[in-house]
Each structure stands twice: as structure tokens, then as C-alpha cells.
Amino acid sequence: MAMSHRIAVLPGDGIGTEVTREAVALLELVASRRGLSLDLWHLDLGADRYLRDGTTLPPAVFEEIRDTCDAVLLGALGDPRVPSNDHARDILFGFRFGLDLYANVRPVRCLHDRLSPLKHHGAASVDFIVFRENTEGVYVNVGGQVRRGTPDEIAINEDINTRKGVERIIRAAFEHARAHGCKRVHMADKSNAMKHAHELWLRVFREVSKEYADVEAVHVYVDALCLYMVQDPSAIEVIVTNNLFGDIVTDLGAALQGGLGMAGSANLHPGRKCAVFEPVHGSAPPLAGKDLANPFAAALTVGMLFTHLGQHDIETLIEHAVRDCIASMECTKDVGGALGTRAAAEALRARVATRLG
Ligand code: NAD
Ligand code: IPM
Ligand code: MN
């Protein structure tokens, strides 16, 4: 009997549920055509569940996922009914930190000239990948508030950077560059201002880069990186940066791809079994329930999931099918089409089916 891949599915909130439904249909289509057996575990976790009974990510569920699943497919989390965002942090960081998924890998590839917002650069200029540190930085819940609500209030979020954490994400970026024939890696920090934490990044980057003499190591301050990303993205191939800067530059990167509806993402611990796949975008409350969300970011994310399962050609196949749909205007409004979420996802599945043969 063929080996079965166990995948936990958390549809999330808002448009997360709409695009994840379509992503699951795509997963199932590819699996059935390829003779892969999938064991999908649908979990009722997200804002609705939290509002119902306070549950976020129960330890027993987390442990079972960690011990038995090959992947988690996650829709975006975030709901206006939960202003604290507590459930989203519990679930999202529960996976990222709990599974030690230190590499948040976010490809930035523009799939059609029409989608590039730049006057002087078309799709061919936008093709890079961001390695975002995913377990440290200001995202670690170290800090607190003192004298809250008074004029003397103090609010602190500490920025945690460990030698081990910085080194492993920098190495992952160089390993990717070497494996994919990339000529250079950009490391973005703010070491001119953040003299302690980011001096560590700069020093480790310089040290590690010596082991990759075939790859050019370019240090940039993150503010300048944002400038270069817009002025001439063609010079960029691989970016490595910390958790917060990685979050920000990947939304900027999404703008170069035609918007957040086009940006896929994977949370990985290279070499480990269980990884988490979620598009870059959030739950977009204003779009929720209106069949307006672009399902392609989630579809490209499914492509990354198949690479993780060892089906390396599927990621490219899905990407080509998305290109087909964009080129023929079979897509949602945000990328110039007139289709709803379901219809765009259906069109994409038809293209994928054709390409699968
Ligand atoms: P967002 O990504 O939801 O939306 C930003 C903009 O992009 C909006 O204009 C939205 O309409 C558009 N957009 C996003 N996804 C789209 C899609 N698939 N198709 C078409 N347009 C799309 O970011 P936000 O508004 O800052 O956040 C909304 C909520 O989502 C918040 O609660 C936030 O915390 C959460 N969030 C969750 C994740 C995650 O779980 N991975 C990621 C980002 C934001
Ligand atoms: C992302 C999101 C999350 C992050 C939020 C929802 C905490 O913006 O995955 O990009 O900042 O990591
Ligand atoms: Mn983000």
C-alpha cells in the first residue's frame, strides 16, 4: 500500500477558511492523480472555537500533530471579535515556536508583467526568496507593561537574538543559494542603530559567508533593502533577516507579486518531518464571506507543501498553472480578473489537471 501523508488542516478565520477549502481541494486533486494517499485531519480551531469555549491549541492536539503529521495546512488567523488576537498568537506561535520551525521561507516571484507595480520592471525582475527567522526576535513573548494606563506607563518587548538562532537561519539561506545556483545572499539588519543584537547578525553573517565562497554575501540595512526592492528587485536573489523585518519585507515583496493574494509561505525546520504551510496574507476581515479572496496564494503554498512531501515537480506545476490563469484573466479582482474565490480556484484546478495529464 502507498505511504499515507497525514496533514492537519486548520482553516483559520475570515478568508482563511475560504482559501483553505480550495487549497484542500487542490491537495486532493493532485494526490488522487499522483496516487498519493492523504490522511487529512480537519481541526476545529480558530476564532469561532475560541469564542465558543476558550480553546486555542490544546497541548494534546499539538503533540499529536508533532508526532504524527507530515504537515499542517493553516489558513490565516485573526478575527475582529477577538481584539486581543490571543487565539491567533497561541496557534500560530504554538506551531512556529513549538515545532521550532526556524525558517519562514517566502518566495517572491511575480508571475505576470501585469502584476508588477513597478514602472521600469516587469515580472522577470521579481524573483527572489526571503528566509525569515521565525522563532526569535521581538516575537518571543519577553517583556511586560508597568504602570499600565498611567502617564508613567512603560511597555517593553525584548528583542531576543541567540547565536544559534541567527547562525542557523543564515546557514539555511546560504544552503538554499548554493543548492539553487543563486549568486548572492542579502542579509538585512539595523546594526547601525541596534548595536548589540544586530552586531551579532552582522558578525555571524560575515563568519558563515566565508564557508560559502561561491556565493556573494551582501550586507544591507533593512531600510535601504526596502529601497532596493522597489528600485531594482532584479539584483536580489536571497534575503535573510530577522523575524520582524522578515514579516515586513515579505508584505512589501507581496506587493511586487501583485498583492498578498499571490504570496505563498512555508514554516520549516530543515530536515524535520512536520512543517506548517500558510499563505503570507491574513484573514482580511473586509473580504470575508464575499467570495472575493484570491485563492492563488494558498494554492502556491500547497505547492510548497508538496515539495516538503517529496513531490518536487508539483510546486512548479502549480506555479505554471497559476501563471496560465493570470495570463488568461481567470482570476479574482485583486489581480485583474472578474472571478470569485471558488471560480478562480476551480479554473486553477482545471489547469493543474491538464498539466498533470
Ligand atoms: P491582511 O493580509 O488580512 O490584508 C491586507 C490587505 O491585503 C487587505 O487589503 C486585504 O484585502 C488584502 N488581501 C489579503 N489577502 C488577500 C487575498 N487572498 N486576496 C485578495 N486580497 C487579499 O492583513 P491585515 O488586514 O493587516 O490583517 C487582518 C487580520 O489577519 C489580522 O487579525 C492579522 O493579525 C491577521 N493576519 C494573520 C496572518 C496569519 O495567520 N498567517 C497573517 C497576516 C495577518
Ligand atoms: C505573518 C503574520 C503574523 C506575523 C501575525 C499574524 C502575527 O503577519 O505570518 O506574516 O507577524 O508573523
Ligand atoms: Mn505578516
Side-chain angles (χ1 to χ4, degrees):
M1 209 185 100
M3 194 179 63
S4 180
H5 298 290
R6 187 159 205 238
I7 300 170
V9 180
L10 283 80
D13 308 324
I15 66 162
T17 62
E18 299 168 51
V19 299
T20 305
R21 188 187 306 127
E22 304 304 333
V24 167
L26 179 61
L27 257 179
E28 287 175 326
L29 167 73
V30 174
S32 76
R33 292 292 183 104
R34 276 293 163 95
L36 301 170
S37 153
L38 295 184
D39 169 12
L40 299 180
W41 180 16
H42 294 275
L43 285 154
D44 171 25
L45 298 172
D48 284 345
R49 175 73 184 274
Y50 178 67
L51 289 166
R52 212 160 60 234
D53 65 10
T55 301
T56 57
L57 179 61
V61 173
F62 168 78
E63 281 158 25
E64 188 170 340
I65 290 174
R66 180 193 62 200
D67 297 339
T68 68
C69 289
D70 299 286
V72 178
L73 180 62
L74 185 61
L77 292 153
D79 189 300
R81 295 169 301 165
V82 187
S84 69
N85 210 34
D86 281 345
H87 74 297
R89 268 195 313 277
D90 266 18
I91 298 171
L92 206 54
F93 299 162
F95 285 125
R96 290 181 186 172
F97 299 163
L99 296 170
D100 198 27
L101 304 173
Y102 66 85
N104 183 195
V105 180
R106 297 184 156 182
V108 179
R109 197 168 293 137
C110 182
L111 301 184
H112 195 279
D113 284 338
R114 185 180 88 236
L115 301 186
S116 169
L118 305 176
K119 197 168 21 171
H120 303 298
H121 291 275
S125 293
V126 180
D127 185 4
F128 59 90
I129 189 161
V130 179
F131 280 72
R132 167 192 180 189
E133 204 294 319
N134 209 28
T135 54
E136 301 192 343
V138 291
Y139 280 69
V140 173
N141 188 21
V142 176
Q145 297 186 335
V146 187
R147 305 186 197 112
R148 188 165 188 277
T150 75
D152 299 319
E153 174 158 40
I154 302 170
I156 298 172
N157 270 100
E158 293 287 2
D159 183 13
I160 308 298
N161 297 264
T162 69
R163 166 80 205 199
K164 178 180 140 191
V166 172
E167 184 171 337
R168 65 185 182 173
I169 190 67
I170 288 175
R171 269 185 199 288
F174 276 106
E175 285 296 324
H176 175 92
R178 182 172 274 175
H180 293 82
C182 305
K183 291 187 297 293
R184 67 182 71 88
V185 171
H186 281 77
M187 189 282 282
D189 65 22
K190 197 61 194 160
S191 51
N192 49 356
M194 299 173 64
K195 132 175 186 160
H196 309 297
H198 289 188
E199 189 274 337
L200 175 66
W201 275 82
L202 186 51
R203 184 158 32 93
V204 174
F205 182 61
R206 291 201 170 123
E207 274 176 37
V208 171
S209 68
K210 292 199 181 93
E211 296 170 38
Y212 298 86
D214 47 323
V215 181
E216 187 190 352
V218 186
H219 168 244
V220 282
Y221 300 121
V222 70
D223 43 357
L225 175 71
C226 292
L227 177 87
Y228 302 143
M229 280 172 68
V230 173
Q231 273 185 339
D232 183 10
S234 68
I236 302 169
E237 292 179 87
V238 179
I239 293 171
V240 60
T241 191
N242 66 61
N243 206 338
L244 180 63
F245 296 170
D247 177 47
I248 296 167
V249 302
T250 53
D251 265 36
L252 179 57
L256 302 178
Q257 294 169 270
L260 279 162
M262 298 298 296
S265 161
N267 300 272
L268 311 166
H269 183 126
R272 273 201 200 163
K273 179 174 141 99
C274 190
V276 174
F277 299 84
E278 41 158 3
V280 175
H281 67 73
S283 55
L287 302 186
K290 298 181 180 155
D291 198 40
L292 286 172
N294 184 343
F296 292 171
L300 294 162
T301 300
V302 166
M304 300 179 84
L305 194 158
F306 275 111
T307 296
H308 178 67
L309 297 182
Q311 303 292 318
H312 297 274
D313 58 319
I314 299 294
E315 186 173 350
T316 311
L317 188 148
I318 291 177
E319 187 188 291
H320 281 294
V322 171
R323 279 181 204 270
D324 295 343
C325 286
I326 296 284
S328 59
M329 305 298 278
E330 294 169 274
C331 51
T332 46
K333 233 166 72 179
D334 55 305
V335 281
L339 300 183
T341 306
R342 285 167 191 273
E346 248 168 57
L348 177 66
R349 289 198 292 277
R351 298 272 180 181
V352 168
T354 307
R355 286 184 171 272
L356 282 167

